[in-house]
Amino acid sequence: MATRVRDASREAATVVGLVSGSQYVNHAYLVLFPPILGTLSTEFEVSLAMLGIAIGVQGAANTVFQLPFGWLADARDRTIAFALSSVAGALGVLAVALAPNFPMLVLGQVLVGVGVGGHHPAHYPLLSDATPDGLRGRAFSVYGVGGALGFATPPVTFTLSTDAGLTWRHAVGAIGAVGLLYAVVATVVLRSVVGDDVTGPNVDAGTTGEKESLSTRAVAALRALANSPGILGLTLLALLTSTASWGVNTYAVVFLDRAYDVPSETANLALTGMFVVGAVAIVLGGDLTDRIAPGPVMVGSFAAVTGFVALLASGLVTATVAVGALLGVGAARSLAGPARDGLTDALSADDTVGTNFAVVSVGVMLGSAIAPPAFGYIVDVTGPSAAFGAIGIVALAGTLVTVWLAAAVAE
């Protein structure tokens, strides 16, 4: 019995490590553009709003492919979903690095979005089945740390490339090459080391999926969602909080530069710092989720985000305080990550884990599709302070939805 427990623990550690590494890679893909918006605008002769559309296109493709990958993970095979999404994302990044013009840059972003669209639907069922209930919040927090560090990597990579006399294309190409290598190695390890009870589907596809048409399965999925108000509420919350977060992620460097005269190099370091501080806060969020409850952690997190964004938008503080407030945004919003993941898992039946995380991720990715072009337009037309004021309003709406959701779940 003791040997079996150790084997299960080793398998759980392997799964958490592999999917956290994949989360790191995929999140690096998501923030390739924000640190170099000025460079891209000059090279491709496009406005910030157009670059916002290019970022939003990635988010749109990401959104569209959430549910197909969720179905693949739940009804077929999580390893296949993992492999397909990981390879597609890496190839998309390499296409971005080689893009000769703006249309090809956008096409590369579409392929990145397709790949990134599969990582949550593949990752969360693996985590859910590999880890025991009492440790799941901590597993989600480790996973979240991987994502936060992935967000922090591109700004540093671009800075180091510039210092070495290289271009943004070299930096993006290096990120894509590392991602492709990781996709291959992680898939092989998953297939050879992790048991079928973790990587296999939670439904009998042979007796259900092949006897039912695609339309029948789609209708059944929609009915299940209609009967899951908690999942729908989490999806709405994810949409609002993701819109606010991606507004900050995308335009923090531009905002600090234009509103507070912070040099772009320093602003990029602040962006990296925001994600690094967030990585530390995720660990605390996972512990608080396990010790208290998801609802109160989420309410406190989003209320703090609203306050920090409002402080930034006010323009009444010094540049140093503004940088500190940006770090505060990174810390505050990261507290809620493990709580939202844990609540989604708790509200999901065994055969809907991948699909439900995909549905919630649709809200996240819709936010990443909406925020860059919408706030980019505001920056171009009105200015960065107005854009951050709008971000603050969205964050406040997310806080109010969080209060409602926490109360509804507690009943």
Side-chain angles (χ1 to χ4, degrees), residues 33-70:
F33 283 11
I36 53 172
L37 284 175
T39 301
L40 295 177
S41 178
T42 300
E43 180 168 335
F44 291 102
E45 299 180 345
V46 293
S47 67
L48 286 180
M50 289 299 295
L51 287 170
I53 290 173
I55 299 172
V57 162
Q58 182 204 87
N62 200 327
T63 302
V64 169
F65 279 84
Q66 289 291 320
L67 289 177
F69 273 115

Side-chain angles (χ1 to χ4, degrees), residues 67-240:
L67 289 177
F69 273 115
W71 174 82
L72 180 62
D74 275 340
R76 298 296 179 182
D77 190 284
R78 283 112 184 234
T79 306
I80 293 175
F82 180 95
L84 288 176
S85 64
S86 299
V87 171
L91 292 177
V93 173
L94 292 173
V96 167
L98 298 172
N101 52 48
F102 185 69
M104 293 303 296
L105 189 77
V106 174
L107 287 177
Q109 282 284 86
V110 171
L111 185 54
V112 171
V114 171
V116 176
H119 80 288
H120 282 172
H123 291 171
Y124 282 115
L126 289 167
L127 284 174
S128 181
D129 279 2
T131 56
D133 291 344
L135 297 176
R136 201 160 294 153
R138 291 173 176 84
F140 286 142
S141 69
V142 172
Y143 179 66
V145 168
L149 293 178
F151 279 143
T153 296
V156 174
T157 304
F158 291 127
T159 299
L160 293 175
S161 296
T162 301
D163 291 343
L166 302 175
T167 70
W168 68 269
R169 294 181 185 274
H170 294 102
V172 172
I175 291 171
V178 170
L180 184 59
L181 177 62
Y182 187 85
V184 173
V185 172
T187 299
V188 171
V189 174
L190 271 177
R191 179 60 73 191
S192 59
V193 174
V194 181
D196 290 342
D197 58 328
V198 174
T199 62
N202 278 339
V203 297
D204 187 354
T207 61
T208 60
E210 295 186 1
K211 292 182 180 181
E212 296 178 348
S213 67
L214 181 61
S215 60
T216 301
R217 291 197 299 268
V219 170
L222 290 174
R223 286 176 177 170
L225 283 176
N227 292 322
S228 303
I231 296 298
L232 292 177
L234 281 169
T235 304
L236 174 60
L237 174 62
L239 170 62
L240 293 169

Side-chain angles (χ1 to χ4, degrees), residues 252-272:
V253 173
V254 172
F255 177 72
L256 290 177
D257 181 17
R258 297 188 184 180
Y260 289 97
D261 294 322
V262 176
S264 59
E265 296 82 3
T266 304
N268 266 324
L269 289 177
L271 182 63
T272 293

